[in-house]
């Protein structure tokens, strides 16, 4: 399931202000003697995951995992047939599910992500990821990564950057695939987590996942998660929704050269078009304030030659 | 304040079973084709800090920081003169302080570590560490690192290991010196933490440290902290007290080659001698069960030629 590696020359990007802004920033912070030069230990970049590195529409990938797991567990839970949010999940009734709100979502997560060891959870996610397919593209979710962003990862790596994922998604969910599809190892993945507890079962120590939130890594908690896991303020941040606003604000407010980038999904033909009315994936404040803050706003339609690794570049046609 | 670098040949160790066990383990996991070979991405080692990498007697270093800070803040808190645990802290009455128990300790930490930004805290600790001296040795605390353990860090690094500190001490306290004295960057430091909150003050974003515990990283929480920050089970663990027991148990219970090591402080002449009655630094279960679990027990007296980088090797006299 390894993705096509990225191209450090940003081959999947059209020439334009966005591509140029990325290249200029990297050149400035890596040129010895340049006033914006940054030593390698401080070349830290953070990336949101859903909608920034891979597709998050029509629903975030982890949500499909939860729905499939509800179905798999349903035979042991006959009571779910008549109880929300489980009934809606089993019937894939998205309107009824949405009506259960964040509480419903949390209940689904706890019912599907807890009560097992970390090892068992990793195996479950691995098995699921190896077979589950996206409803529109018919591809594995792990194939639906953005080639232009793989290019950015490759460019930053080639220039001595250390890269972290900073997502509102589950930290242990993402870690099962982050190294294979992005080349980002588990210790460089930051996200939401539930409580785990050390237990010795019949002489064998395990970590049990409990149905209790430990850290909700979205929005204003993104800088908090970065501080907790990285311990240094990054110099570059990449996101796509207002859930990333605080992260971009914090990163780009530091001294010296800073870089903030927001992907605006405006290409319904090749992927999806969504912004101000996109619920959890809403992008509104970022569009309004980003340009004045010096952030680069990327148009999928105009800036990306290819969206996915399997796309053919049709832009030259 | 950079420590003398470690010697990957373990020059500060006497020849003996402990030194040989370390060298043998590293040889086995790094020899291609050996049944115990471990690929570099999984060569992860974890080290306790207090008593394992630097001196923790008569009190853990962070405790001295708290006491000095209480004294510095006292003029703004006249009420502390008559209130425990502050009265005892101001009078350096260790018996009275001990009588306030863990609750007293927590109250001291909250009064001295919270209510400021992460940046201000980092500056405070940095200033303190640059001048505060150990009551017995008269040296900076950051000079009182164990040369034999710097050697082990050097050996592991030379063999492709990734090294994390896993301490019950404060994560942001340790990060201010971990890179300078151990060569361990901030993102590889795991420890206890208080809640931080993202706040925009007059347009400037900061992380405020709040007087509320977020994670207590000692004992059974050490495997939990490793899972949270590393996301993989390490293959080697180094500690010195029963606070490290769960970490060693978890690490050495995994499949394949594993290594656990406990430092037994038994050298009152050159450092300190303490074990079963050492309160928070108690080492009892580790001494009883460690050998049967295959863990290496190190005698400071017999296994270490030098304790500190500034020590002269007197063992050949």
């Amino acid at each position: 399931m390894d993705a096509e590696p990225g191209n450090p020359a940003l081959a999947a990007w059209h020439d334009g202000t966005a591509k140029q802004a990325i290249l200029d920033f990297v050149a400035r912070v890596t040129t010895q003697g340049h006033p914006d030069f940054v030593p390698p230990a401080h070349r830290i970049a953070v990336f949101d995951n859903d909608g920034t590195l891979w597709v998050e529409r029509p629903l975030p990938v982890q949500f499909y995992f939860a729905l499939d797991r509800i179905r798999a567990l349903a035979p042991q839970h006959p009571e779910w047939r008549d109880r929300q949010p489980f009934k809606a999940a089993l019937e894939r009734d998205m309107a009824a599910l949405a009506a259960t709100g964040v509480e419903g979502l949390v209940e689904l997560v706890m019912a599907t992500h807890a009560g097992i060891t970390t090892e068992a959870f990793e195996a479950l996610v691995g098995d699921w990821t190896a077979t589950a397919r996206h409803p529109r593209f018919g591809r594995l979710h792990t194939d639906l990564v953005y080639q232009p962003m793989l290019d950015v990862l490759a460019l930053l790596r080639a220039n001595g950057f250390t890269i972290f994922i900073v997502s509102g998604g589950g930290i242990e969910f993402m870690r099962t695939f982050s190294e294979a599809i992005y080349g980002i190892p588990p210790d460089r993945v930051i996200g939401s987590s539930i409580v785990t507890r050390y237990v010795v079962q019949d002489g064998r120590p395990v970590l049990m996942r409990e149905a209790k939130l430990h850290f909700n890594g979205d929005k204003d908690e993104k800088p908090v998660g970065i501080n907790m896991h990285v311990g240094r303020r990054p110099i570059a941040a990449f996101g796509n929704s207002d859930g990333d606003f605080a992260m971009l604000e914090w990163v780009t407010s530091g001294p010296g050269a800073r870089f903030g980038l927001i992907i605006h999904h405006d290409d319904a033909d090749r992927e999806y078009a969504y912004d101000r009315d996109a619920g959890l994936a809403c992008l509104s404040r970022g569009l309004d304030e980003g340009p004045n803050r010096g952030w680069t706003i990327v148009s999928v339609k105009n800036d990306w030659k290819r969206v996915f690794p399997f796309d053919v570049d049709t832009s030259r046609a």
Side-chain angles (χ1 to χ4, degrees), chain A:
Chain A
M1 83 187 190
D2 283 11
E4 180 176 318
N7 180 308
L10 305 189
W13 291 71
H14 284 297
D15 290 335
T17 52
K19 176 179 177 177
Q20 203 53 49
I22 301 168
L23 292 170
D24 285 351
F25 170 75
V26 172
R28 282 187 287 124
V29 299
T30 56
T31 301
Q32 202 102 30
H34 192 286
D36 286 343
F37 177 77
V38 175
H42 289 267
R43 286 182 209 154
I44 297 167
V46 284
F47 288 78
D48 169 56
N49 184 41
D50 295 320
T52 297
L53 294 176
W54 76 353
V55 171
E56 65 175 342
R57 302 299 271 182
L59 291 171
V61 177
Q62 195 170 355
F63 199 77
Y64 289 114
F65 167 74
L67 291 179
D68 284 349
R69 189 138 168 72
I70 288 285
R71 194 169 283 175
L73 291 169
Q76 300 157 47
H77 294 274
E79 75 279 10
W80 284 356
R81 263 174 284 167
D82 303 308
R83 218 187 108 205
Q84 296 298 17
F86 305 103
K87 182 170 185 288
L90 287 168
E91 294 167 357
R92 302 259 160 160
D93 179 346
M94 294 302 145
L97 198 53
T100 68
V102 172
E103 290 74 17
L105 191 64
V106 169
E107 207 173 346
L108 280 192
V109 168
M110 295 308 175
T112 53
H113 288 61
I116 54 177
T117 68
T118 52
E119 286 167 352
F121 181 72
E122 188 181 335
L124 273 176
V125 178
D127 290 347
W128 182 82
T129 313
T131 56
R133 287 176 184 272
H134 188 275
R136 169 176 162 190
F137 296 104
R139 299 252 183 182
L140 296 180
H141 295 286
T142 47
D143 288 338
L144 295 171
V145 294
Y146 302 131
Q147 182 62 46
M149 298 309 287
L150 296 181
D151 288 358
V152 173
L153 295 178
L155 169 69
L156 294 178
R157 266 189 210 112
N159 284 279
F161 275 76
T162 305
I163 294 161
F164 291 82
I165 289 178
V166 182
S167 168
I171 187 168
E172 302 220 45
F173 182 81
M174 292 182 285
R175 280 172 167 170
T176 61
F177 54 78
S178 63
E179 186 139 47
I181 72 178
Y182 307 130
I184 298 175
D187 61 306
R188 294 188 175 151
V189 176
I190 304 167
S192 297
S193 55
I194 59 179
V195 168
T196 61
R197 199 162 49 91
Y198 184 72
V199 188
V200 181
Q201 291 177 333
D202 303 324
R204 184 175 159 264
V206 295
L207 291 167
M208 283 299 299
R209 293 170 58 81
E210 306 214 325
K212 191 179 160 196
L213 188 69
H214 170 67
F215 181 67
N216 175 3
D218 204 18
K219 300 191 174 71
D220 282 7
E221 299 298 310
K222 287 203 173 193
V224 172
I226 294 170
N227 185 61
M228 184 62 60
H229 287 260
V230 184
R232 275 187 176 135
R233 199 192 306 212
I235 62 168
F238 300 79
N240 78 297
S241 80
D242 286 350
D244 304 313
F245 192 92
M247 173 169 85
L248 267 83
E249 178 178 57
W250 188 59
V251 165
T252 60
S253 298
R258 302 280 155 169
F259 189 75
L261 182 148
I262 292 176
I263 300 165
H264 184 196
H265 292 273
D266 59 359
D267 191 335
D269 291 337
R270 294 189 299 173
E271 197 227 5
Y272 292 97
Y274 59 101
D275 46 43
R276 295 178 193 273
D277 304 316
L280 287 174
C282 167
L283 173 64
S284 179
R285 197 177 167 197
L287 287 179
D288 293 338
E289 298 184 26
N292 278 338
R293 289 172 178 262
W295 302 347
T296 296
I297 313 292
V298 168
S299 158
V300 169
K301 194 171 191 164
N302 300 320
D303 287 314
W304 288 1
K305 276 188 194 169
R306 295 190 290 152
V307 175
F308 302 116
F310 52 82
D311 279 346
V312 177
D313 174 10
T314 55
S315 64
R316 307 268 180 224

